[in-house]
Each structure stands twice: as C-alpha cells, then as structure tokens.
Amino acid sequence: MGFEFGAHLVRLGILKATSDHASIVSINLFVALLCACIVIGHLLEENRWMNESITALAIGLLTGALILLTTNGKKSHVLMFSEDLFFIYLLPPIIFNAGFQVKKKQFFRNFMTIVLFGAVGTLISFFIISFGAMGLFRNMDIGLEIGDFLALGAIFSATDSVCTLQVLNQDETPLLYSLVFGEGVVNDATSVVLFNAIQNFDLEHIDVLIALKFLGNFFYLFASSTFLGAFAGLLSAYIIKKLYFGRHSTDREVALMMLMAYLSYTIAELLDLSGILTMFFCGIVMSHYTWHNVTESSRITTKHAFATLSFIAEIFLFLYVGMDALDIEKWKFVKDTPAKSIGVSSILLGLVLVGRAAFVFPLSFLSNFTKKYSGEKITFKQQFTIWWAGLMRGAVSIALAYNKFTRSGHTQLVANAIMITSTITVVLFSTMVFGMLTKPLIRLLLPPGQKGITESFTSEFSAPLLENVPGFEAEGGGQNRNLFRPSSIRMLLSKPTHTVHYYWRKFDDACMRPVFGGRGSVPFVPGSPTEHSFHG
C-alpha cells in the first residue's frame, strides 16, 4: 500500500531508480516536508502575516522550484495531482473531524443562517460566476461549452476558509466561528453536489424539464447524503452501546469508529452521493451518540486522533497544491497566449469577489431581519469577515477543475490547459494574498479586547432569555418550570430555530438516547463503557 500511495506523490527523476525506490524517496520527501511545515508553522505562530496553510503552500512552491532547477526544467511532473488521492485519502479525515469537533449547540442554533449562506449563497455565487464567465469569455475565443461554464461556476463557488478559521477562536467568537465554519462545510458539499449534477446531465439541449430534473437531482443528492451519514453514525452508536467493546479492548472501539466513518464516505462515493455531506453528518452524529458510549480512554484517543489526522491532511494538501502549481506540462500549452491566461484568471477572480458579495450582504440583511434581539444579529464587521473568509479558493476547486478539464492529470487541449492554469493562479493568489491579510484584517475589525463583546452579549443575554421564554428549556435541562406554554405554531413563528431545537431535545431524550446512547442516557452495566464515569 505504501508503494501505491507513493506512486501518487512525487516522481523526482533525479535518480535513475526503480519505481519502488522512487516511491520510497517520494514518501521520505513528503514526511520531511510535513515535519518542516509543523516546525516552521510553530515558529511563525505569532506572526501577523503567516499561518500554517500559507507556510505549507510556500514550502511546496519552493520545493517544486528546487526540483525543477536540479533537473534543468526537464522533469515537468514534479507532482501528479490525483483527484482520487484527494477525495479518497485526504478529504475524509478533514471533513469528519469538522463534524466531530463542531460545537453542535452553536451550529444548530445558527443552522438557518448557515444553510442560507452555504446552500442558497452558493447557488447565487454559482449562477453569477457561470453566466458572468459565459458573457465575458465570449469574445476571448477560448472554446468552452455551456457545460464547461456551469462547471466553472461550481468549481469557483467552493470556498476554503481554513486561513480564517485558524485565526478565529470559537470560544471568543462562537457566533462568527460557527457561521464561517458551518458555511464552509455546507458550501463545499453544495459545490460538489452541483458539480456532480452538472456532469450527469446533457446541458447542450436544456429545457424546462431538464432544469427541473437537475434541481430534483440536486435535492435528492443533498437529502440522501445527509441521511446516509446520520444512519452510519447511529449504527455505530447502537453497535458499540449494545456490544460493549470496551470491556475487552478500547482499540476495537476506536477502530470501529474510524472504519464506520470511512465506510459511510466510501459508500456515498460508490452511490454517486456527496461524500462530504455524508462524512460531516456522520461526524456530528458520532460525537452526539457514539462518543459517549465508549470508555474514557477511547474518548481521549478518538478526539486527538481525528484532530491529528485532519491536521496532517490539511498540511499535506497545501504542500500538494504548491508543488503541483509548477507542473510545466500544463503551462507550456499557454505560453503562446500569456495575456489570455492572465485575462481569464483576472476575470475569474473578479467574479469570485462579486459572487461572494452578492449573497453575503443581502442574506445577512435577511437573516438580521428575522432576529428579534440585537445580540443575535450579524454586524457589518462580521459580515465583512464572512465575505473575506470565503474569497480564498483551495484544494476542492483544484480537484474539481482537474476532474473536469484533465484526464489522469494531463491535458492536450489549449482550452482545458487555460482553465487548469487559471484555477491554479486563482488558488495561489487568493490563498497567498488574501490569506496573508486575514490575520491583520481580523485584528483590525475585531480587536482582542472587543472580540467577545457581541458574542458575550449573545451568550449571557440571549441564553437566559431562552431559558425564561415560555416553551423553552435550559440547555442543561432537568428543571421543570411552571410557565405558560404557547401553542406550537406561535412558538414556531416567534422563534423557529429555538422551537425546533426544543422539540428535538424532547424527542432526543425520549426516543433516541435510550436506544443509541449519549450523554447521561447509557445505563450502568458492570464492565460497560460508562463504568469508569459512574465510579469517577
């Protein structure tokens, strides 16, 4: 397996060696670079311009340049970007950890706003980028078809908010962090679902029926992917709760959680569903049920193991992108038309800026219009931060672009080469320039002394209000208040999100936790995973 994995990575060509030896060399190179990224990232932790993502990207670019120099520019395949390597090996741990570590209370409290930004906003950005490119590229004689323009809309609607999330702190700014984080995950899933839906339809002869089928397929993929992830999480919770693996081996608990999560992702990919959505909701369900059914040592192990795998995969991805950017096979096709390539990149970058602004500010206004208390509303500074967070494009955009415009990492068509090099240019520019400005921008907009003002107001003022609003229980539950409870319709109209949350908690406590376990709902059985907690 190591040799197969190494074959996906780097082919140096410096040594006349066997393929096995080249694979070992490539693995050693990447492990050394990962170590360098971690050490340098730690040393630059307090730097106002750099973060680990930009550091890894810069090291990847520098390494690729050095290898090209040592081979006199003859070896173009410094790194073969493989969509399979990205989607099958690197993306799953990142998405799963995102769902596993998310603060569910904040995420679902702002769920409607997150869906507005992540799903509706992505659709708005998709249409603006697609039809904007269609109009602006018309006179450039690139040779793209309608399916290519729609694919571009999906490709450049996929955000990468890693740089912003590395600066934000979910304890200091829980509202802003949950919005940026939640929107990023839903956005990636929506972009991939859109891309897959476009690939499955003949868009050359589009009519009303095809458009309706397209929308139906989109919502089917979204719903079925979510259901599969939740089902896999519940199944793992039920198995671990009933069989009590922890009596004999905590390793089996950890292994079963990892394998069940990965199995849900691979099944989603096998069924042509969205593995991102499946993995994300599997992580949420596992953290809500399965994690509380395992032993204390397994809880600590899984928490740190998932976070570590996600961290390594993220650093690896930026190294991957940085080195692949210098693959001269792609650039040689556009060397005769550099002005056209620069023009395409500039137009796409401008459409990304406009498409992002076209939904962040209007949808923020719409979200604020439905909020009753000022502490729950999104301020203009927070809106600007959300807009900025989604300007960066990353590995998802590159993977989708390679999937559409290349075959096995290669292309022989000038139009496809222009699209690939333009995607790489936009990703590098947005990550390096916008990413480097992220930390000073957030310090300017949200100074450390003021970061918690709005958030503390929300948590200290809104939370007590929620506890005293008729029909709502405190998050801790347990105490019954003799308060007047209005009708369900009145509650839903006055506070829809909190009403859904209230009834979900009642259903969860009454039906779900007794069957699937979870915090405080797993009965004590000698030798069971909860034994340590009860005696503690």
Side-chain angles (χ1 to χ4, degrees), residues 37 51-61 314-316 318-319 322:
C37 288
N51 56 51
E52 284 172 330
S53 301
I54 299 174
T55 301
L57 192 60
I59 291 176
L61 286 168
E314 285 182 6
I315 298 300
F316 190 98
F318 282 100
L319 274 172

Side-chain angles (χ1 to χ4, degrees), residues 209-223:
L209 184 61
I210 291 178
L212 290 175
K213 285 183 178 179
F214 176 81
L215 290 175
N217 188 52
F218 172 79
F219 287 113
Y220 162 75
L221 289 174
F222 219 94

Side-chain angles (χ1 to χ4, degrees), residues 163-223:
C163 291
T164 306
L165 291 174
Q166 286 179 348
V167 180
L168 291 176
N169 187 309
Q170 62 177 326
D171 294 320
E172 293 180 355
T173 55
L175 171 63
L176 186 58
Y177 188 95
S178 66
L179 291 178
V180 172
F181 168 79
E183 188 239 333
V185 175
V186 177
N187 165 275
D188 283 347
T190 305
S191 299
V192 174
V193 169
L194 268 175
F195 184 83
N196 291 335
I198 291 167
Q199 299 291 86
N200 295 331
F201 282 90
D202 179 17
L203 300 172
E204 293 298 323
H205 306 91
I206 192 167
D207 54 25
V208 176
L209 184 61
I210 291 178
L212 290 175
K213 285 183 178 179
F214 176 81
L215 290 175
N217 188 52
F218 172 79
F219 287 113
Y220 162 75
L221 289 174
F222 219 94

